[in-house]
Amino acid sequence: MSQDHPPLAVLVKGWPRLSETFIAQELVALEEAGQAFEIWSLRHPTDVKRHPLHDRLQAKVRYLPEYLYQEPDRVWAARAAAQALPGYAEAYRIWRADLARDRSRNRIRRFGQACVLAAEMPDEVLGLYAHFLHTPSSVARYAAIMRGLPWSFSAHAKDIWTSPDWEISEKLSSQHHGAAFGATCTGFGARHLQQMSDDASRIDLIYHGLDLARFPEPPARAWRTPSDPLKLMSVGRLVEKKGFDRLIAALALLPQDLEWHWTHIGGGGLNDLLQDMAEDAGVAQRITWRGACDQPEVIEAMRASDLFVLPSRIAKDGDRDGLPNVLMEAASQLLPILSTPVSAIPEFIDSGTHGLLSKDDPQDLAEAILSLARTPKMAQGMAEAALLRLRRDFGMDPGIAQLVARLDAMLQGS
């Protein structure tokens, strides 16, 4: 197999993305394990910064037309080439059935991108692997049918909980050209997908884990006393499911005799709304909004903080976190954790042992913050237990080995 034309095509929503270090970590590890692939990205990058991890990837990155009207010549040429492929008629039939249930521009764009992918993928490609079960998997599925190739996916959080049941079921069905296998990063998500699949054995639980070689050893912390100021921090996009609105309300409930400061890292559409909430709650002067940061900046902030807070919750549209990698990153730096028992977070954190899991309402969050602030020895013990669990049960290597075996079997047709 030519190194210039690897046998695997990997689809992602965008490359590179600061908020998706778990994908970058996996792809770098797959490459280092000997898996050859090219990346096909549905979108061009929007982040100004990059993680050092992105620069380690050697794979070629190709960009599909982000919007079909922007590259009409490329799209129409690809459509003509795709129509000559043996599986085009079947892919078109399936897409038309999908379009009847989802009459959206996004659905049309998916098929156009699939035509470009099917037309432009080298002949050496033997299979496709998509990160996320919604849009990237749709593009991979349509293109795979056109080319007569197997496809597979890795599902995470929003793609599981906001996709319609009919679409997930068909992507997991052998009768509808479903995936050869699917991986997902939480037991909570794996059980749900196994129940929706016509063959539960095709769904694997593969934790992202953490490549601890990429992180410094935890700092020799000078643990605070109950009377010291409390430095809180969070990392996460400013979207509903992260629950930062509830955290701001909780911070406003903390007693006046507790000196605290909260630092937030991450971008997102709710930035202005949340900053206005902080002003209205009278806590804006105690908050630093740092925006998007690269991973070295995140780790530096973790090492300088006393408490990591991620108040995840279920959004109105059903979107929710899976097992956020930032919790494991915080644990790697011996940073005590406060979060919520949403989705798979309890798979890593047993409340009271590896951190505290609170309800996501402001009063409960405030009480949990205050408890950790007033009992730093308890916080220290839980941070030490979380680091031990991370090292023992959530390393990256076992999951990568499992994924390599799945991909090899798919590419070899076994």
Side-chain angles (χ1 to χ4, degrees):
M1 188 69 62
S2 168
Q3 290 184 344
D4 294 332
H5 300 293
L8 181 66
V10 175
L11 270 77
V12 297
K13 288 191 299 183
W15 184 271
R17 280 189 164 185
L18 285 175
S19 63
E20 295 176 355
T21 53
F22 56 95
I23 294 177
Q25 172 184 271
E26 178 192 284
L27 295 183
V28 168
L30 285 175
E31 194 171 67
E32 291 176 350
Q35 194 71 244
F37 56 86
E38 286 184 343
I39 294 175
W40 292 79
S41 178
L42 306 188
R43 292 181 177 274
H44 291 271
T46 57
D47 295 317
V48 176
K49 296 182 178 181
R50 294 166 62 97
H51 294 309
L53 190 61
H54 292 127
D55 295 327
R56 286 174 54 186
L57 193 79
Q58 300 298 308
K60 184 175 182 178
V61 182
R62 299 174 181 258
Y63 291 92
L64 294 169
E66 188 164 336
Y67 295 99
L68 303 184
Y69 69 85
Q70 293 175 333
E71 299 183 62
D73 293 344
R74 183 184 180 193
V75 172
W76 286 112
R79 174 78 183 279
Q83 286 175 320
L85 295 171
Y88 178 84
E90 178 66 0
Y92 183 76
R93 182 190 69 80
I94 287 175
W95 171 69
R96 291 289 298 184
D98 292 348
L99 182 63
R101 293 170 289 188
D102 173 28
R103 294 188 176 278
S104 67
R105 291 181 179 178
N106 186 35
R107 182 67 59 176
I108 295 170
R109 185 164 61 247
R110 294 180 203 184
F111 192 74
Q113 289 177 318
C115 288
V116 175
L117 179 61
E120 295 184 0
M121 276 191 304
D123 292 340
E124 289 84 354
V125 172
L126 301 177
L128 296 86
Y129 172 58
H131 261 285
F132 292 104
L133 186 51
H134 49 9
T135 306
S137 283
S138 293
V139 175
R141 180 182 176 220
Y142 299 145
I145 296 169
M146 293 179 200
R147 289 280 294 266
L149 298 174
W151 69 280
S152 55
F153 67 85
S154 182
H156 303 290
K158 180 177 183 178
D159 50 328
I160 298 176
W161 305 112
T162 63
S163 296
D165 286 351
W166 64 263
E167 185 166 12
I168 292 179
S169 295
E170 292 186 7
K171 286 176 176 175
L172 302 180
S173 168
S174 56
Q175 295 182 348
H176 293 86
H177 303 278
F181 77 89
T184 190
C185 52
T186 69
F188 185 74
R191 289 187 292 273
H192 179 73
L193 293 180
Q194 286 164 354
Q195 291 169 358
M196 300 187 74
S197 174
D198 61 0
D199 181 2
S201 67
R202 288 188 296 155
I203 305 300
D204 283 2
L205 166 60
I206 300 180
Y207 286 116
H208 295 308
L210 210 62
D211 179 7
L212 291 172
R214 292 194 296 109
F215 294 87
E217 285 296 309
R221 289 190 174 274
W223 295 97
R224 57 181 295 280
T225 68
S227 59
D228 288 336
L230 179 67
K231 293 174 287 186
L232 308 97
M233 75 164 293
S234 301
V235 180
R237 289 181 299 125
L238 296 171
V239 295
E240 183 185 0
K241 71 177 178 180
K242 297 297 183 180
F244 294 127
D245 56 336
R246 306 282 174 87
L247 178 56
I248 290 169
L251 294 173
L253 296 175
L254 294 175
Q256 292 298 314
D257 63 348
L258 177 64
E259 186 179 344
W260 60 269
H261 190 91
W262 176 50
T263 297
H264 175 271
I265 291 176
L270 298 182
N271 181 70
D272 291 344
L273 176 63
L274 292 173
Q275 291 196 30
D276 288 345
M277 286 182 60
E279 289 282 357
D280 293 342
V283 295
Q285 298 305 311
R286 295 188 177 196
I287 298 175
T288 298
W289 305 91
R290 291 190 56 182
C293 292
D294 61 30
Q295 199 155 55
E297 292 171 320
V298 171
I299 297 303
E300 181 183 11
M302 287 178 170
R303 295 169 72 86
S305 300
D306 301 313
L307 179 62
F308 187 86
V309 187
L310 187 67
S312 301
R313 63 188 179 99
I314 299 175
K316 292 183 180 68
D317 64 357
D319 190 14
R320 67 201 76 179
D321 275 328
L323 176 52
N325 262 33
V326 288
L327 295 178
M328 290 181 276
E329 292 172 7
S332 79
Q333 300 307 302
L334 206 59
L335 180 59
I337 295 168
L338 168 61
S339 192
T340 55
V342 169
S343 298
I345 291 173
E347 294 176 34
F348 178 56
I349 298 173
D350 292 329
S351 188
T353 302
H354 310 103
L356 283 187
L357 298 182
S358 162
K359 294 179 182 178
D360 65 18
D361 68 87
Q363 186 63 52
D364 282 276
L365 285 168
E367 290 175 3
I369 292 169
L370 194 57
S371 173
L372 289 162
R374 288 177 171 170
T375 55
K377 283 291 186 185
M378 178 183 73
Q380 177 183 350
M382 290 189 290
E384 291 168 348
L387 177 59
L388 180 63
R389 183 168 204 189
L390 171 66
R391 288 171 169 169
R392 184 188 63 209
D393 300 328
F394 285 85
M396 178 189 65
D397 292 346
I400 293 298
Q402 186 178 353
L403 185 56
V404 167
R406 277 291 209 177
L407 289 169
D408 284 346
M410 179 185 74
L411 296 175
Q412 294 163 10
S414 58

